[in-house]
């Protein structure tokens, strides 16, 4: 999701009992470094960026690049997916608090935090995401990566929501789809601003909150939590 990513491991989180090995942590760190380099280059130069450009910027050999990624566009996926992990972790944390908040409120609060950078590095990553989204308008391969990350995000949301809401399978899937769509549309709307001043005026955290309320309004199961 492409949210306000902070450094962490990419893609799907392992179960709590399966802590990543040292090799896995090193692999994840290398992937993320390459992803940062790729995002920065795509945001700056557009689709003209090559895999060799990305490898040089990341300080790795081209052979190493292709050991991690099949295409130059695939290289941005770990960065885009970082925010998904953080969103899910924050959602689980907030859902575990006995503060009387509804699932709807927890979803909105977690989404707001995911799109609110906690430090300069996170703010920079969000700016890279904006640059990537602007390049994606004319790059089907990059758009494919973006939509794949969001598909994975939606699938990952389903078991998290199933743990905290007493809605049935259909309502849980609809809630995951609504929340994920609100996040995607908020970031895309923010990124579509014509210049930096307009982008600053459109706060993505506020956009996602508005979208979340609109898209989940017809899901009464989110007004309560499973007890």
């Amino acid at each position: 999701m492409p949210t306000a990513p902070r450094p962490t491991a990419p893609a799907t989180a392992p179960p709590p009992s399966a802590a990543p090995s040292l090799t896995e942590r090193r692999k994840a760190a290398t992937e993320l470094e390459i992803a940062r380099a790729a995002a920065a280059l795509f945001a700056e130069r557009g689709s003209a960026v090559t895999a060799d450009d990305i490898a040089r910027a990341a300080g790795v050999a081209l052979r190493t690049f292709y050991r991690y990624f099949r295409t130059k566009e695939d290289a941005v996926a770990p960065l885009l997916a970082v925010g998904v992990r953080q969103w899910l972790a924050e959602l689980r944390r907030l859902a575990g608090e006995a503060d009387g908040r509804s699932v709807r409120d927890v979803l909105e609060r977690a989404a707001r935090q995911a799109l609110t950078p906690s430090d300069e590095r996170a703010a920079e990553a969000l700016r890279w995401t904006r640059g990537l989204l602007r390049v994606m308008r004319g790059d089907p391969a990059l758009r494919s990566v973006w939509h794949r990350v969001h598909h994975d995000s939606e699938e990952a949301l389903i078991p998290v929501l199933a743990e905290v809401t007493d809605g049935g399978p259909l309502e849980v899937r609809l809630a995951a789809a609504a929340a994920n769509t609100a996040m995607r549309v908020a970031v895309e709307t923010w990124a579509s601003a014509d210049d930096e001043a307009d982008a600053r005026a459109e706060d993505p955290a506020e956009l996602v909150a508005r979208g979340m309320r609109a898209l989940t309004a017809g899901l009464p199961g989110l007004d309560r939590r499973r007890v």
Side-chain angles (χ1 to χ4, degrees):
M1 141 175 19
T3 58
R6 303 163 177 83
T8 185
T12 304
S17 59
S21 66
L22 178 59
T23 299
E24 290 169 333
R25 293 198 301 273
R26 285 174 175 167
K27 179 177 183 292
T30 301
E31 283 183 337
L32 196 54
E33 284 304 312
I34 296 173
R36 289 194 190 103
L41 286 173
F42 274 117
E44 178 186 346
R45 302 182 196 171
S47 299
V49 170
T50 67
D52 193 43
D53 293 333
I54 297 169
R56 284 201 305 271
V60 300
L62 185 59
R63 181 177 59 183
T64 301
F65 175 90
Y66 280 117
R67 194 159 63 235
Y68 284 93
F69 302 105
R70 186 173 57 86
T71 68
K72 65 179 184 179
E73 292 85 6
D74 285 338
V76 304
L79 183 68
L80 294 175
V82 162
V84 174
R85 291 174 59 90
Q86 292 165 341
W87 183 21
L88 295 177
E90 184 65 11
L91 185 57
R92 286 191 180 97
R93 186 187 72 78
L94 292 173
E97 294 179 351
D99 58 3
R101 288 178 180 268
S102 68
V103 176
R104 191 188 316 279
D105 288 341
V106 169
L107 266 173
E108 181 181 325
R109 186 176 170 192
R112 277 182 174 277
Q113 291 188 204
L115 288 178
T116 303
S118 60
D119 53 34
E120 179 51 37
R121 195 168 198 183
E124 183 178 52
L126 194 57
R127 289 193 294 272
W128 287 340
T129 300
R130 178 174 180 263
L132 280 171
L133 284 167
R134 295 174 72 81
V135 173
M136 282 176 198
R137 296 173 184 173
D139 192 320
L142 273 176
R143 285 203 307 273
S144 177
V145 173
W146 172 251
H147 289 295
R148 186 175 75 235
V149 167
H150 270 283
H151 173 270
D152 293 345
S153 170
E154 185 174 317
E155 290 297 310
L157 269 170
I158 291 170
V160 177
L161 291 175
E163 292 174 3
V164 297
T165 180
D166 57 4
L170 176 61
E171 188 165 45
V172 169
R173 290 194 69 91
L174 287 172
N180 186 63
T181 299
M183 184 69 81
R184 178 179 60 79
V185 171
V187 177
E188 289 176 350
T189 300
W190 169 71
S192 69
D194 289 334
D195 54 40
E196 290 294 335
D198 289 341
R200 286 193 295 271
E202 288 279 19
D203 179 4
E206 179 57 32
L207 290 173
V208 76
R210 286 162 49 193
M212 198 81 73
R213 290 178 213 134
L215 292 177
T216 63
L219 298 172
L222 298 183
D223 292 326
R224 53 190 181 273
R225 290 198 214 175
R226 173 176 287 180
V227 294

